[in-house]
Amino acid sequence: MAIVVKDFLWRQTGDYVVVTIPLKGIPPSSVDILTHNTYIKAYFKPFIFEAFLLHPIEESVSKCTISSEQIEFHLTKLEKNLLWHSLCLDLSKEEKKAAREEALSLVQSHSQEKRAAKQELLQALQRKSVQQQIEIETIEKNTIEQIRNSERCKAMDELEVWKANKINKNDNKPEVVSTDIWDANSSLSSDEDPNVESDSTPLTADDLRPVPLPRACGSISVKFTPREFPTPQRESQMEEEQAWLKKQVEAQRSVGFVAKDLRPEECNPVWLKEKGDSFFKIGNYLGAISAYSHGIKLSKNMAALYVNRSAAHYALGNLQRVVEDCSAALDLMQPKVSLNENSRAKCHARRGAALCKLGMLKPGLADLEAASVIMPNDDKLQLDIKDIKKRLEKCGDRES
């Protein structure tokens, strides 16, 4: 039940009445105000203040100010220079209820009228805006049409002038024909009337120019730059690297899975690898695993797909899958050349970490040491090896 506020203050002049209500520690944002020309109300739970005014006020010019400590109604009197002997009317409970309901009904109807008027004004503005846009588009369309017509007329005039100049040029130019054509045209039979004009147009020198023959076919030879191996001959692994490259090319070309509902690029293991890499970068590890797995179905000998899928499994905590993929990748990365040493080091390090997390410290340490042989300058890898050795020593002390 609401608590009625009675410790309010009010004062008046000849033109306005000021009513001050204390907020009693309630925040200003929780205050609900309602005003009418004969009724004012302020509700800030659990307190309520309402006043059935002695005389009507001008609601449109009256105002209410809410501060952190009080509410102040600044009410403008409808009848100027009329002093009120009291702020509120002396009404019974039933009369207050009837007056309250009447005020609320009038406020609600007035609010609906204002809302309807605002909506009507908005619709009128929208109709006016649409009409203006139509007029602008019509003007632009007419302007474009005028420009198009003027350009068309200009082009037609230029064409007519060009035709007239060409006719005048042909009339002034002497007729040049070959002897054979002249003899053929002049050999008329005795029945033909020489005064009748021929329908055929006389040929000019341009018409008698021979047509060039088609161009001869040719071929363009292309020479590829040979690959150079910067390593000395005694340390060169050219044969092994060529075998590795050939193996990878065959793996990329061996597409054995074809589905009608797939796009051509979705049947390319290289495209699937790049798609999986993009998924991995944004954290979509399941999508990356799906792309890599589909690529492995298409090409089982492409080691990069196993290497990258092991990274996605490691991110999801599928440690057994990590060990399987790293092992498969290491089996495929034969022979061991400088081109695949980075991938081999990653596989050893990742498989070693997975084995250690699975509790198999000795096999994991062996893989980590194998990775450190390939990457001796990796400080993090050296710290991991030291940590595993310490754990193995502790386990040995406990067993003894």
Side-chain angles (χ1 to χ4, degrees):
M1 184 175 179
I3 302 173
V4 180
V5 178
K6 297 183 179 180
D7 55 341
F8 63 91
L9 300 175
W10 75 283
R11 64 182 186 274
Q12 65 174 326
T13 64
D15 297 330
Y16 59 85
V17 176
V18 178
V19 183
T20 305
I21 304 103
L23 272 178
K24 300 181 182 297
I26 305 299
S29 59
S30 302
V31 180
D32 185 15
I33 300 297
L34 177 66
T35 59
H36 185 53
N37 56 358
T38 58
Y39 175 76
I40 60 174
K41 173 186 174 183
Y43 177 67
F44 43 103
K45 190 176 181 180
F47 301 98
I48 186 171
F49 167 80
E50 62 178 357
F52 300 90
L53 301 177
L54 183 64
H55 297 287
I57 60 171
E58 295 184 14
E59 182 187 359
S60 58
V61 295
S62 300
K63 61 182 180 179
C64 177
T65 305
I66 304 176
S67 63
S68 60
E69 297 179 354
Q70 63 184 11
I71 305 172
E72 185 175 279
F73 286 96
H74 193 280
L75 310 175
T76 303
K77 294 180 178 180
L78 185 62
E79 299 179 7
K80 307 297 181 182
N81 299 323
L82 176 62
L83 295 179
W84 297 5
H85 64 273
S86 175
L87 177 65
C88 304
L89 291 171
D90 187 10
L91 301 176
S92 62
K93 188 174 181 179
E94 290 76 11
E95 290 174 344
K96 286 183 178 180
K97 182 178 178 180
R100 186 185 302 110
E101 291 178 353
E102 182 181 1
L104 291 175
S105 176
L106 292 174
V107 169
Q108 185 176 5
S109 62
H110 182 63
S111 177
Q112 291 177 355
E113 291 175 359
K114 288 177 64 177
R115 191 181 300 109
K118 185 178 179 180
Q119 187 68 22
E120 185 178 357
L121 178 61
L122 181 60
Q123 292 178 357
L125 292 176
Q126 289 179 350
R127 289 194 296 270
K128 185 177 180 181
S129 176
V130 171
Q131 185 65 29
Q132 290 178 351
Q133 185 66 27
I134 292 173
E135 292 177 357
I136 292 173
E137 291 179 356
T138 303
I139 293 173
E140 291 179 353
K141 184 178 179 180
N142 294 336
T143 304
I144 293 172
E145 189 66 26
Q146 291 177 1
I147 295 173
R148 186 185 292 114
N149 293 334
S150 63
E151 292 295 331
R152 187 185 296 112
C153 294
K154 183 179 179 181
M156 294 300 295
D157 294 341
E158 292 178 354
L159 182 61
E160 293 295 334
V161 172
W162 177 79
K163 286 182 179 180
N165 293 335
K166 186 175 181 181
I167 292 173
N168 294 333
K169 185 177 180 180
N170 292 335
D171 291 341
N172 297 330
K173 184 177 180 180
E175 184 178 357
V176 179
V177 294
S178 63
T179 306
D180 296 338
I181 298 299
W182 173 255
D183 294 338
N185 291 332
S186 60
S187 58
L188 299 173
S189 63
S190 58
D191 297 335
E192 288 181 346
D193 189 357
N195 296 324
V196 178
E197 296 181 357
S198 175
D199 295 335
S200 61
T201 305
L203 299 176
T204 62
D206 295 336
D207 298 330
L208 301 176
R209 185 177 299 169
V211 179
L213 296 175
R215 294 181 180 179
C217 298
S219 60
I220 300 174
S221 59
V222 179
K223 294 182 179 180
F224 295 97
T225 304
R227 184 181 176 196
E228 296 181 358
F229 293 86
T231 56
Q233 186 66 25
R234 63 181 179 276
E235 300 176 2
S236 176
Q237 296 178 332
M238 182 171 64
E239 295 181 0
E240 291 83 353
E241 290 185 355
Q242 292 295 339
W244 164 255
L245 292 175
K246 185 177 179 181
K247 188 176 181 180
Q248 292 303 306
V249 171
E250 291 177 355
Q252 293 176 7
R253 291 180 178 176
S254 61
V255 179
F257 180 83
V258 178
K260 295 182 180 180
D261 57 342
L262 296 180
R263 300 193 301 271
E265 62 269 15
E266 292 178 344
C267 297
N268 186 356
V270 178
W271 184 88
L272 290 169
K273 175 185 172 298
E274 295 175 354
K275 191 68 175 177
D277 295 343
S278 64
F279 284 147
F280 187 87
K281 289 179 181 179
I282 63 176
N284 186 3
Y285 303 120
L286 291 176
I289 291 173
S290 178
Y292 296 140
S293 300
H294 185 43
I296 290 172
K297 289 182 181 179
L298 299 176
S299 179
K300 296 181 179 180
N301 296 327
M302 193 170 177
L305 293 171
Y306 292 95
V307 176
N308 293 2
R309 190 173 72 172
S310 69
H313 278 306
Y314 190 83
L316 291 176
N318 302 331
L319 302 178
Q320 188 63 37
R321 297 285 186 178
V322 174
V323 175
E324 294 175 359
D325 283 345
C326 290
S327 301
L330 289 172
D331 293 338
L332 290 173
M333 285 188 284
Q334 299 293 337
K336 299 177 181 180
V337 294
S338 58
L339 289 175
N340 57 20
E341 65 180 7
N342 189 23
S343 298
R344 284 189 286 112
K346 289 180 179 179
C347 284
H348 280 298
R350 195 170 293 138
R351 186 172 68 177
L355 289 172
C356 291
K357 289 185 177 181
L358 289 172
M360 294 179 280
L361 299 180
K362 290 184 179 180
L365 179 60
D367 270 320
L368 293 176
E369 290 176 344
S372 67
V373 172
I374 303 174
M375 296 188 300
N377 298 325
D378 194 333
D379 297 335
K380 186 177 182 301
L381 187 59
Q382 300 298 330
L383 292 175
D384 292 339
I385 292 173
K386 291 180 181 179
D387 185 33
I388 298 301
K389 288 181 178 179
K390 290 180 181 178
R391 291 170 61 184
L392 284 172
E393 291 177 357
K394 291 181 180 179
C395 292
D397 295 340
R398 290 176 183 174
E399 290 176 358
S400 60

